[in-house]
Amino acid sequence: MTPLLPTPDSWAWTTLGEIADVVGGVTKDAKKQSDPNLPLVPYLRVANVQRGRLDLTTVTEIRVPEATAERLQLLPGDVLLNEGGDRDKLGRGWVWDGEIPNCIHQNHVFRARVIDGILDPRLLAWFANECAQTWFETNGKQTTNLASLSLSRIKELPLPIPPLAEQQRIVTILNDRLVEVDAAISALTQANGRVGRYLEAVVARELDHIESVELGTILAEKLINGRSVPTRDDGFPVLRLTAMASGYLDLCERKGGDWTEREARPHLVKRGDFFVSRGNGSLSLVGRGALLMDEPDPVAFPDTMIRIRANRERIDSEFLRIVWQSYLVRQQIEGAARTTAGIYKINQSILEGIRIPLPPLEKQAQIVATIQEAEALVGTIGGAATVSISRCRDLRRRLFGEAFRGRLTQPEVGDEPAEGLLDRIRLERAAEAMPRNRTKRGVSRTRIKKISFPADAGGVVSAGGQESLFEQGEVSS
């Protein structure tokens, strides 16, 4: 095992499997869901287990045998860590606090139950979330679309163990400072949201009481979808869907396609073209639009986009962009979108029926000028808030880095070195594994009531009142 960070001498490194009981969750069996004799219990999925928090807004239920429900029932202090999903979801999680009675977890979520309180569950979760992401990404197994981590592998996660007293000092300091940092992030995020709502209000005011027409009546050319082509590094360029991220088409977001320029010609983009995303896993993102403002070099658009070429004598392209991001259009798109296998989709027919507010061109120009002024103001304020949020999150990361390097606290006289804690766990596990009433390596098994460790191991550790096999670091008979 290789430590992931430099830590003080009084700390120790171990693995998750050595200091915690780690188990996978239940796999949903479709046949059992119709059996009324099986208990119906709540269970947590990957979506419920977020980084540093649990999202319990929507918790589903599952029918499982009673023995399974008892075996997997979550207890306060259990740490939940995601087993799979997108690569950035590996290992993210938080501490269960008994929020829902009789709750269990699915097979894509691991449960780690720390043994004998050797590590504060919050420190375990914080370390996995903030300091071990590179380890998770390196050790996760990638399939076609998803990444996953085996039970045996997550048990090998390296963990730093501070002395128990120091753990509590670290938790206290982190809690105090995180309250301040998280409050700042929350306030800035809310400010960003208010700025966004201000822009929406300005757009709604400018478009109020304007008669609308169907998009299909103001097209210069028929709507067309892009084309799907395999990737080829030296092939003719095609845009990625990420080119639409900002509302304006980013021509740098491209890849090589396995096709010729002649094959791509019907799908070449032109200045003033407007593009709409055909599908997305999020309803709020399907049908989002992006305008091409630049004069492009030859590049085509992919099958994930629908191209709109509007009649310039009827509608200004910038006005179309503004209208498309309005609540009026979003409401229509989200109401008409259809979902298949969790993906929301729209098509050309739906788009042609979308109603667009359409004042005269002169009025369009006035509205565009007003909205662009508001966008500039929002961009300035929102940009400052976004930079501040980024700085706060960086401060948060550095805070955890300092905490798990032992730089937020100082060792105190009387702190028991962490290695002694680990030795106790190892000895107790060895005792549990040893067969009863039999000898091992010529030493008879006799229970005693005390565990002691030599002073050169970093002090003396006693576990009074607990049965064990060892005293003064040796087996007594």
Side-chain angles (χ1 to χ4, degrees), residues 4-111:
L4 303 185
L5 298 169
T7 51
D9 292 340
S10 58
W11 292 28
W13 280 85
T14 185
T15 60
L16 178 61
E18 186 171 38
I19 58 98
D21 176 31
V22 187
V23 299
V26 65
T27 301
K28 192 169 186 178
D29 186 334
K31 294 181 180 179
K32 292 178 180 178
Q33 302 317 300
S34 59
D35 185 350
N37 296 316
L38 295 178
L40 188 63
V41 297
Y43 83 121
L44 302 185
R45 300 162 296 146
V46 169
N48 300 118
V49 183
Q50 299 293 317
R51 194 173 303 281
R53 64 186 178 88
L54 298 177
D55 181 357
L56 304 180
T57 306
T58 302
V59 176
T60 59
E61 294 181 315
I62 187 173
R63 290 193 183 277
V64 295
E66 186 174 348
T68 301
E70 292 179 358
R71 177 173 60 86
L72 295 179
Q73 183 176 335
L74 296 173
L75 302 178
D78 286 346
V79 179
L80 298 166
L81 301 170
N82 280 335
E83 169 268 346
D86 296 333
R87 206 161 192 82
D88 63 350
K89 293 182 176 68
L90 288 178
R92 79 176 185 191
W94 190 236
V95 183
W96 178 253
D97 198 29
E99 293 89 339
I100 302 174
N102 305 316
C103 192
I104 63 175
H105 56 105
Q106 73 165 179
N107 58 313
H108 295 303
V109 176
F110 292 122
R111 182 220 74 198

Side-chain angles (χ1 to χ4, degrees), residues 239-250 253 274-278 285 287-291 302 304-306 324:
L239 294 171
R240 302 176 186 273
L241 184 60
T242 51
M244 301 182 63
S246 68
Y248 290 100
L249 208 64
D250 182 356
E253 287 291 315
F274 192 76
F275 297 89
V276 175
S277 63
R278 291 179 59 195
L285 294 178
R288 288 289 182 178
L291 174 66
T304 53
M305 302 180 191
I306 299 175
W324 205 263

